[in-house]
Amino acid sequence: MTGAKNALTAANTISDWTHISSLTLQCQILIAVNKFIKQAEINQWSKCIINLEDAAFRFVRKAIIQQLPTKSNLARWGKSLTNLCPLCNTLQTNKHVLSACSSSTALDRFTARHNAVLSKLLVWLCQALRVKH
């Protein structure tokens, strides 16, 4: 049974890599991660994110593989006529949405989200370290 499971896992891995290699953005990200980050660090990161709440996990996964519904992605997917940010009229990418939009509205949203993420990280770290906050 173990031999069959290992063979199936290997076949799925090859199939997954073949698919990902055909994706423009995701392929480049995975190549960079595998080139510059040690396997032990990737495994540690995986153990951390796998324990996130479902919504946070989905967000992190989509952010990592460049699948957030930014205007750039929506335009590339044929779902938007423009790839520009409606708040500041510049190219809207993951980086732009998550930290680079110069609009005061976006900065206010970013600050609130940033603080919420830091709060969740604090709780997680305290639990991981078994420290009271």
Side-chain angles (χ1 to χ4, degrees), residues 28-102:
Q28 296 304 312
I29 292 165
L30 291 177
I31 289 170
V33 166
N34 282 320
K35 184 175 181 179
F36 297 109
I37 301 177
K38 295 175 186 171
Q39 187 62 46
E41 292 171 343
I42 294 171
N43 292 343
Q44 185 178 16
W45 173 250
S46 293
K47 287 177 186 176
C48 291
I49 65 169
I50 200 74
N51 294 317
L52 292 173
E53 297 170 11
D54 288 345
F57 177 81
R58 284 191 304 273
F59 177 82
V60 168
R61 180 180 51 81
K62 286 182 177 187
I64 289 171
I65 61 174
Q66 302 290 314
Q67 288 188 335
L68 292 176
T70 63
K71 286 292 190 172
S72 290
N73 281 341
L74 293 171
R76 192 165 41 90
W77 300 332
K79 305 286 183 183
S80 175
L81 298 176
T82 181
N83 59 3
L84 300 179
C85 175
L87 299 174
C88 69
N89 212 34
T90 59
L91 184 65
Q92 190 187 60
T93 62
N94 273 15
K95 181 180 178 185
H96 179 85
V97 169
L98 296 174
S99 65
C101 184
S102 60

